[in-house]
Amino acid sequence: MPHLTTPPQAAATGAGRLGLGTPGYAHPLLAPVEWAELTRPGTPLHWAVLNVADGPGGRPDAHCAEAAARLRDAGGPAGSGGSAGPGRRLLGRLAMRDGARSFAELIGDAHRFRDWYGVGGFYLADTPADREDLPSVRRVVDALRGLGAGLRIVLDHGTHPYEGFAETADQLVTFSGAWADYRWSLVAEWTAEYPPELFCHLVHGVPRTHLDEALRIARWQGAGTVWFTDRRGACDRDPWASMPGYWDEIVSRIGPGVSE
């Protein structure tokens, strides 16, 4: 089991139901089954990321627009992670590239996502995590919130950022990586002061035989949203591009009525 620096007070509150956050399937033409499964009734989906071409692409994509519309219209229960309904489940991927993208580029991409695909929020990939990065990230988030009421903002740090980021977004991705690292991961002490709805863990290479263990770790560390897959990361492939081999199993285990 992973080591914690402080008891997971927030995880024990049961403030929200554990659910799924999909960090970005392949294009709907390459992953039609995956996109269709996200709309299946009862799927405990908190959000899914739309990534056309490292962002919204240069022009509207009819296949992505169709997949986006189906997901928006699918409905379903509001879940953890600050969900206010199905409209906030579709997030446009904004590539921050650890702070290398300019403010104008990011906001331009955000406008295209809203205009072309009607996204209900944004997923800021590779968000920088240091204290000195907070003002620039906050500036972007404030501008994004100005694009519409109730937009969901998820910051993908992939690690525990400076605590000040907790007051900036709806959710923080505080782990993104391999199962071998996750099962022995540390949780930052400051996270115990916040509810599970604030935190998301993305883990690849989780064997089916360790799925229960992974779910226990997520709950113990106070995560409200997860994505576990048996796909493995490699330099030439994306472990998030297709659904886990145990999709039905993980949906049933964290669906309504399932608790630890």
Side-chain angles (χ1 to χ4, degrees):
M1 287 295 293
H3 171 70
L4 286 89
T5 58
T6 190
Q9 299 162 347
T13 66
R17 191 183 302 282
L18 191 66
L20 300 173
T22 305
Y25 277 150
H27 189 280
L29 278 179
L30 301 177
V33 174
E34 283 83 348
W35 281 98
E37 281 295 309
L38 295 180
T39 66
R40 188 171 72 179
T43 300
L45 180 69
H46 289 167
W47 45 260
V49 175
L50 177 64
N51 182 22
V52 182
D54 200 23
R59 65 185 65 183
D61 183 304
H63 300 288
C64 290
E66 182 181 356
R70 285 199 301 265
L71 185 58
R72 289 197 312 269
D73 297 341
S80 176
S83 176
R88 301 181 76 210
R89 299 196 305 171
L90 180 67
L91 308 181
R93 184 182 188 275
L94 302 179
M96 292 206 77
R97 299 175 190 163
D98 202 28
R101 296 284 306 286
S102 72
F103 176 84
E105 289 176 318
L106 292 166
I107 302 307
D109 279 357
H111 276 285
R112 284 186 282 275
F113 266 123
R114 287 284 280 169
D115 293 344
W116 297 346
Y117 305 111
V119 299
F122 301 97
Y123 181 90
L124 279 62
D126 301 317
T127 304
D130 295 333
R131 181 173 186 168
E132 58 267 27
D133 299 312
L134 180 57
S136 61
V137 174
R138 183 178 287 149
R139 180 189 178 210
V140 172
V141 172
D142 288 345
L144 294 176
R145 293 202 187 281
L147 298 182
L151 293 176
R152 185 201 299 268
I153 307 295
V154 177
L155 303 182
D156 174 19
H157 303 284
T159 187
H160 288 93
Y162 169 64
E163 183 178 353
F165 284 95
E167 307 298 333
T168 302
D170 296 289
Q171 198 167 58
L172 310 177
V173 177
T174 54
F175 185 92
S176 180
W179 166 243
D181 298 319
Y182 185 63
R183 67 186 310 193
W184 305 113
S185 59
L186 300 171
V187 61
E189 190 167 326
W190 62 261
T191 63
E193 303 300 321
Y194 294 89
E197 288 88 346
L198 184 63
F199 304 108
C200 173
H201 296 168
L202 311 175
V203 191
H204 59 76
V206 181
R208 182 187 298 269
T209 53
H210 289 275
L211 185 55
D212 280 340
E213 182 183 354
L215 290 170
R216 285 195 298 270
I217 292 171
R219 291 185 172 103
W220 181 249
Q221 291 199 2
T225 303
V226 297
W227 185 257
F228 297 145
T229 179
D230 50 354
R231 313 303 182 191
R232 297 183 180 275
C235 61
D236 60 347
R237 55 188 290 224
D238 181 0
W240 318 121
S242 60
M243 72 173 63
Y246 39 67
W247 171 255
D248 288 337
E249 187 171 354
I250 193 171
V251 166
S252 67
R253 291 193 185 200
I254 70 174
V258 179
S259 61
E260 193 63 27

